[in-house]
Amino acid sequence: MSRRRIFASALAGMLAGALLIAIADALSEPAAIPAAPGTQRLAAETAMGVNGRAKFLDFAITPRRPGNLLSRSGVAGRSARGRQIRLLQYGDPAIHGRVLVFGCIHGDECAGRELRPLTAITSFCPDWASDVYVVPNLNPDGTALGTRLNGRGVDLNRNFAAGWRPIGKRGSPQYSGPSSFSEPETRLAARIVQRLRPAVTIWFHQQRAAKPLVRAWDGSVAAAARFAQLAELPFRRLPWLAGTAPNWQNHRFPAATSFVVELPRGPIGEGRKARLERAIVRLGRQVGED
């Protein structure tokens, strides 16, 4: 056999062996698990900002000139049915630690949307020593419809990624949606948290019990207990349920903390409203000093 034929035969053998190894490697690799559609959409929306704008929430974050502490507000995004979801900012954006407040996530539990961190501490002006952001109502569709669910029949507080699992069916009280982050409201909340990176996030709900309650679990306990003391409310350690917003936040941002305030049904009352607003401002000051 000529040298040329020997070389060609050896080369063919090497290529065949490499092909077999590649096929074996491919067969031994576990199949990639595609991300849930809502999670993919969240990543895309986070990358490009809301409505295609790259500077998401800049209206609330850009530092002001010294002494100019008027509150600012703007539209952060829209609900499933196109209603505006607003974000308000109080205090000084140059403060290191931020506090984020969601006044309403269930459409029929919205007493917290009336809260504004303007208290007698600062003569009813934004506080110069804190940086507080408020989303009065994350679920305007549910409020308009008189339901805890959003405009597509999903419980927003079961639609976040941490521990998400299928619960119920469309329109049932705790329907978790077709996948995590399937709803524009939960994706917007996630984008807000990712953009602001708050040290503390407070989610307001309303329970059927007669008395209010602050509840938290794991790493969020210390800040929640501190807020409960400031607001003169009882505190309890309670595990997070599957797909809830605090569960996602405390897993996604373990250095920060997120907890829930459960208010009783009905109007919030001026006295309790003032105590909660004062507690938010004081917590903002403490976070800013940490």
Side-chain angles (χ1 to χ4, degrees), residues 109-282:
E109 300 180 17
C110 287
R113 67 180 174 173
E114 304 301 326
L115 294 171
R116 301 290 183 271
L118 305 172
T119 75
I121 295 176
T122 55
S123 300
F124 298 96
C125 292
D127 181 35
W128 60 269
S130 64
D131 186 20
V132 181
Y133 299 81
V134 179
V135 178
N137 192 353
L138 186 64
N139 188 5
D141 293 347
T143 302
L145 295 169
T147 174
R148 69 181 270 125
L149 309 176
N150 77 340
R152 305 196 323 159
V154 176
D155 182 347
L156 297 179
N157 204 37
R158 300 294 183 273
N159 191 240
F160 288 80
W164 184 90
R165 59 184 177 83
I167 302 174
K169 59 183 180 180
R170 188 175 299 278
S172 60
Q174 297 189 46
Y175 175 52
S176 58
S179 67
S180 63
F181 288 128
S182 62
E183 305 311 297
E185 297 91 345
T186 50
R187 295 197 303 274
L188 176 63
R191 292 201 309 274
I192 291 171
V193 170
Q194 290 171 345
R195 180 74 167 98
L196 296 180
R197 297 296 176 95
V200 175
T201 303
I202 308 172
W203 294 84
F204 279 88
H205 294 251
Q206 288 182 273
Q207 59 180 358
R208 300 196 179 278
K211 295 182 179 181
L213 175 71
V214 179
R215 59 183 175 90
W217 189 248
D218 285 343
S220 60
V221 165
R226 188 190 322 167
F227 181 81
Q229 184 178 29
L230 292 171
E232 303 175 29
L233 298 177
F235 169 76
R236 285 186 65 188
R237 295 172 184 253
L238 291 172
W240 303 125
L241 299 175
T244 59
N247 194 12
W248 170 76
Q249 277 192 258
N250 288 320
H251 280 84
R252 179 67 178 79
F253 302 100
T257 187
S258 177
F259 59 87
V260 167
V261 177
E262 294 276 8
L263 301 173
R265 291 287 183 173
I268 195 170
E270 287 302 317
R272 179 168 290 152
K273 180 175 180 288
R275 287 192 295 275
L276 288 167
E277 290 172 339
R278 185 168 58 247
I280 291 170
V281 171
R282 286 178 171 166

Side-chain angles (χ1 to χ4, degrees), residues 24-53:
D25 287 345
L27 292 174
S28 65
E29 282 287 328
I33 300 173
T39 304
Q40 293 175 330
R41 199 176 308 167
L42 170 62
E45 291 174 357
T46 300
M48 75 174 191
V50 67
N51 297 329
R53 294 176 299 176

